[in-house]
Amino acid sequence: MNPVDVALDSIWPAELRTDRLLLRPVTPQDADVVRELLTDERVRAYLGGPASPERVAARQAAYPQTPGAWAIVRITDGRTVGLASIGADPRSEGRAEVSYQLLPSAWGGGLGREAVGAVVSWWTATVPDGGPVVAVTQATNARSRRLLESLGMILVDQLDEHGSRQCVYTPGGDQDDSDLRWLRLTAAHLDEVERRRGAQSRATAAGQRLPEDLTILTAEAASLLCPACHGTYGRICAREAGHMPALHLGRASDGGWVAWLEDFPV
């Protein structure tokens, strides 16, 4: 099971309170709000458009059974005005993703920022070793990007998904410290994924002989290695197009470095 799911199972259900909001687990009684959020053209403008009736029914059934899914309730009138959730990010194992949707009638008053801030604070305080947490939004969704940046979240990556450019944000702090923490956590999870995917079984003979300390390699030997972080969806090299590294790096089952040819079958 994904470590994010494991962590959620151990601490769910949970209620969060802010000055103006109650975040409580979604119930079957929230079905009307789920439908309204999934079918409103303004809410879905950057989420692929209004969902089909089948998709709406599936989400209405799933949300009450999903750890990490909250209804956002405005305390002053008890009205449910949106949904927020945290769960395993499908793009990178071990990484949590925060998602959020508010009804248009609740836009513009800072309620979204309040809800997302509460979720991020709760996760980092309750699961201090839970790995990176991100929020992903379309590059053209200026409102959502302003919300995340107002919380001090920083842009750490961009990717193409669902036919659009997406921006990946993570909690900030000191810029250098945030970047270093992000890189360390991501590298650790990538190494673990490599071990599970069996890098050793794909390694070439030369790759099996790599020393643990790669700094002792000659310049010529080091030039053959491609240490780029490869994407979750494929072994796409991050260096300049057209370069020809002889070997791509990974971790063996014992944690040691191994390498394989770029076109080595997986």
Side-chain angles (χ1 to χ4, degrees), residues 159-173:
L159 53 91
D160 292 317
E161 190 175 72
H162 308 307
S164 301
R165 193 68 170 171
Q166 309 287 339
C167 292
V168 182
Y169 284 86
T170 197

Side-chain angles (χ1 to χ4, degrees), residues 24-100:
R24 56 160 176 76
V26 177
T27 71
Q29 286 66 48
D30 296 311
D32 287 346
V33 173
V34 172
R35 182 180 62 254
E36 189 174 353
L37 287 166
L38 291 177
T39 57
D40 188 288
E41 291 185 354
R42 293 164 294 177
V43 175
R44 301 292 299 176
Y46 299 97
L47 297 170
S52 67
E54 294 78 16
R55 175 68 172 168
V56 170
R59 296 313 300 159
Q60 287 172 324
Y63 271 125
Q65 310 299 323
T66 303
W70 287 277
I72 302 172
V73 180
R74 190 164 49 201
I75 292 175
T76 55
D77 57 10
R79 186 185 178 197
T80 301
V81 295
L83 300 173
S85 64
I86 190 165
D89 180 359
R91 307 167 193 84
S92 181
E93 188 166 352
R95 193 168 74 180
E97 179 182 6
V98 177
S99 301
Y100 45 93

Side-chain angles (χ1 to χ4, degrees), residues 173-235:
D174 177 79
Q175 181 70 43
D176 292 338
D177 177 68
S178 297
D179 290 347
L180 182 60
R181 182 178 69 250
W182 174 263
L183 289 171
R184 285 175 173 169
L185 288 169
T186 302
H189 288 300
L190 285 172
D191 280 351
E192 181 61 27
V193 170
E194 273 306 326
R195 284 195 285 273
R196 283 195 291 271
R197 292 182 65 182
Q200 189 165 15
S201 67
R202 303 193 306 276
T204 63
Q208 294 278 13
R209 294 194 297 269
L210 283 175
E212 176 60 25
D213 183 3
L214 297 179
T215 63
I216 69 175
L217 293 175
T218 65
E220 180 180 2
S223 69
L224 298 177
L225 300 177
C226 176
C229 292
H230 300 276
T232 303
Y233 298 120
R235 319 208 69 76

Side-chain angles (χ1 to χ4, degrees), residues 117-166:
V119 172
V120 172
S121 296
W122 172 78
W123 178 259
T124 55
T126 309
V127 193
D129 298 320
V133 57
V134 299
V136 181
T137 189
Q138 273 195 30
T140 54
N141 190 346
R143 182 188 294 272
S144 182
R145 294 186 66 178
R146 285 197 301 268
L147 182 156
L148 297 174
E149 290 165 5
S150 72
L151 289 169
M153 299 185 80
I154 57 174
L155 179 66
V156 291
D157 197 7
Q158 295 191 48
L159 53 91
D160 292 317
E161 190 175 72
H162 308 307
S164 301
R165 193 68 170 171
Q166 309 287 339

